[in-house]
Amino acid sequence: MARRIAAGAAYGGGSVGLIGAATVGLVLAEVQLAKRQVGGGTAPVPPSANGRYGVAFAGPTDPLRFVMLGDSTAAGQGVRRAGQTPGALLASGLAAVAERPVDLRNVALPGARSDDLDRQVSLVLADPSGVPDVCVIMIGANDVTHRMPATQSVRCLSTAVRRLRTAGAEVVVGTCPDLGTIEPVYQPLRWLARRVSRQLAAAQTIGAVEQGGRTVSLGDLLGPEFEANPRELFGPDNYHPSAEGYATAAMAMLPTLCAVLGLWPESDHLDGSRREDMLPVAKAASQAAREAGTEVTGARAPWALLKHRRRRRLPAHTEPAKRHGVDAADGGPPPPAPPPSGSGATWRPARERP
């Protein structure tokens, strides 16, 4: 299905249906019930996290230019402090690993769907300061909830990645999250939401990788945590992540963000002990959609690398990254990366630990 969606996006195909007509009545009833419960609270307006991080590393080298694009998840809706947004967390981590200042610009728009990426990319490329070194795109949830045709969604994302790559920017895409993890959504809508989300995520991976980008599957990355601790990982509107939820997602993306800039100590060589492999891009995309936190990067067409990068703690000797002279978290250092997968440890940001 993901291959069909991606092919339709590439060759101008129409909409590809994702659910059977026999379930439409039941799904619509479930949707209305979910709408009354999801977003029952109020999500604060995303705080602006734009600015310079890692000023302690200022030197003769120009700062890295980093841009966030996408929807409310990329903007950080649901938290009240700039340092809790994914853009600030990633900029802080990138500055600490690179030991170099990072200038963050966030053009993401809450409520945006993939067809808004054209406007966002135009804003980025019109910036007089120049083309960014790396861009992170987080998009897809609103495409699903607003029933945007999957082929159109992937076509818009692929075009955005191509424009940024052609201009010279590296691109990392956080694919559509698993909407089946949202607490107020019940069966069978939960099952359908999970299926549609994963199909779109896989198709996004195919489209982005074929245009020279890398992807990290967000999927059900927070699924077990959402189910066990929904009040901690959801924001006040029961839909957007909380500060801890954003931190978990951001730290999953940081290794790929660093790798694409040549900063991570791991190479793109495959590690069989971590179930890494070189696969046809459609198969790699499908596997990544099923296992959150998985990176897919293009190799020789039609092959792609399936990577499970270790998440490492930030160097202990570095000072906290800062934004305009203030700690990036508005009062404390950025949270450390969680322990490596398989360590058995449960990670929580330092200020959330008992």
Side-chain angles (χ1 to χ4, degrees):
M1 177 61 75
R3 179 73 268 180
R4 287 175 56 200
I5 293 171
Y11 299 109
S15 175
V16 177
L18 297 176
I19 59 175
T23 64
V24 169
L26 180 58
V27 169
L28 291 178
E30 292 281 0
V31 167
Q32 295 306 313
L33 178 62
K35 281 182 177 179
R36 289 196 293 269
Q37 299 185 60
V38 174
T42 302
V45 174
S48 175
N50 292 341
R52 180 163 296 178
Y53 292 74
V55 295
F57 301 114
T61 307
D62 291 336
L64 288 169
R65 294 185 299 276
F66 168 40
V67 174
M68 293 284 296
L69 306 92
D71 55 21
S72 56
T73 306
Q77 188 163 17
V79 297
R80 299 184 183 277
R81 296 163 60 185
Q84 297 171 329
T85 62
L89 293 166
L90 288 170
S92 298
L94 185 59
V97 174
E99 297 187 348
R100 180 177 171 186
V102 174
D103 284 343
L104 169 65
R105 184 186 182 197
N106 196 324
V107 299
L109 178 68
R113 289 170 283 182
S114 293
D115 54 4
D116 189 58
L117 288 176
D118 181 66
R119 180 191 65 83
Q120 295 183 29
V121 171
S122 294
L123 285 175
V124 172
L125 297 182
D127 190 336
S129 64
V131 176
D133 295 291
V134 63
C135 298
V136 168
I137 302 175
M138 301 172 71
I139 200 84
N142 295 318
D143 297 14
V144 173
T145 58
H146 289 78
R147 291 178 290 175
M148 184 177 185
T151 50
Q152 181 185 357
S153 175
V154 174
R155 185 182 302 121
C156 292
L157 175 62
S158 299
T159 300
V161 174
R162 182 172 63 251
R163 290 179 65 193
L164 291 170
R165 292 291 293 128
T166 300
E170 299 288 350
V171 181
V172 176
V173 176
T175 55
C176 181
D178 183 356
L179 298 183
T181 61
I182 298 176
E183 187 189 31
V185 177
Y186 303 110
Q187 299 291 8
L189 183 58
R190 179 184 292 269
W191 178 86
L192 290 169
R194 171 166 287 125
R195 179 178 175 83
V196 173
S197 300
R198 288 185 177 182
Q199 287 178 345
L200 179 57
Q204 287 177 317
T205 295
I206 296 172
V209 168
E210 289 181 342
Q211 298 303 323
R214 300 193 188 201
T215 64
V216 177
S217 58
L218 299 181
D220 62 350
L221 176 69
L222 304 179
E225 290 87 352
F226 276 143
E227 293 175 0
N229 305 293
R231 298 309 173 201
E232 292 183 25
L233 288 161
F234 276 124
D237 63 350
N238 296 329
Y239 184 81
H240 294 97
S242 66
E244 186 170 353
Y246 278 129
T248 302
M251 291 305 107
M253 298 188 70
L254 180 60
T256 299
L257 187 62
C258 294
V260 78
L261 293 172
L263 303 172
W264 211 241
E266 297 178 23
S267 69
D268 285 334
H269 293 299
L270 300 176
D271 186 340
S273 66
R274 297 208 300 274
R275 295 172 292 106
E276 297 181 345
D277 203 353
M278 180 179 286
L279 301 168
V281 64
K283 187 171 183 179
S286 178
Q287 287 194 204
R290 292 196 298 268
E291 187 171 354
T294 303
E295 174 192 318
V296 178
T297 183
R300 294 185 300 275
W303 301 89
L305 300 178
L306 190 75
K307 296 282 295 180
H308 300 284
R309 295 190 184 275
R310 289 194 179 95
R311 304 175 202 171
R312 302 171 188 260
R313 292 185 179 276
L314 297 178
H317 64 277
T318 59
E319 296 181 8
K322 296 185 178 181
R323 178 174 55 87
H324 297 317
V326 179
D327 283 353
D330 294 336
S341 302
S343 67
T346 300
W347 175 76
R348 293 165 66 86
R351 62 175 58 84
E352 298 291 338
R353 292 176 187 145

